[in-house]
Amino acid sequence: ESVMSLYRGSLLPRCDYYHWLMPKVIYYQNLYMQQLKGYLRLLNEEGNFLAMQKVATEALSIDIYDSDSHLYLIKAVFLAGSKRLAKTFYSQSSEYLNSEHKQELEALMRDT
């Protein structure tokens, strides 16, 4: 949670696309995403699906193509009881999910 409160987005928003700054921007964004994914795993283990939705949404606002973030968002919505919404999210984001995550979500939705 403390990492989420510290992160303010881009280092220098107006200069993000300068070739000399891009490696640093990507480096710090990747560090932040790693922290968010670790937090998502913890929230999943605890069964805190509301917080999991919030963190996954934050992660997706940074990297819409991240399969892990889509997985956790769909799982959180589904396990919180909004099964129809989770299936809608799944169909909308299936192109961003890797095959392992697709199988996991399909098994989850089929078994419950």
Side-chain angles (χ1 to χ4, degrees), residues 3 30-40:
V3 170
N30 285 337
L31 277 179
Y32 181 62
M33 288 296 290
Q34 288 174 5
Q35 294 298 315
L36 287 181
K37 289 178 190 183
Y39 190 37
L40 284 167

Side-chain angles (χ1 to χ4, degrees), residues 55-91:
V55 174
T57 301
E58 168 70 16
L60 287 169
S61 74
I62 294 167
D63 185 0
I64 191 69
Y65 303 108
D66 185 64
S67 183
D68 292 320
S69 301
H70 283 284
L71 169 74
Y72 285 115
L73 177 61
I74 295 165
K75 269 179 93 167
V77 170
F78 188 85
L79 294 171
S82 299
K83 295 177 180 175
R84 182 177 289 169
L85 181 60
K87 290 177 182 181
T88 301
F89 283 168
Y90 175 79
S91 66

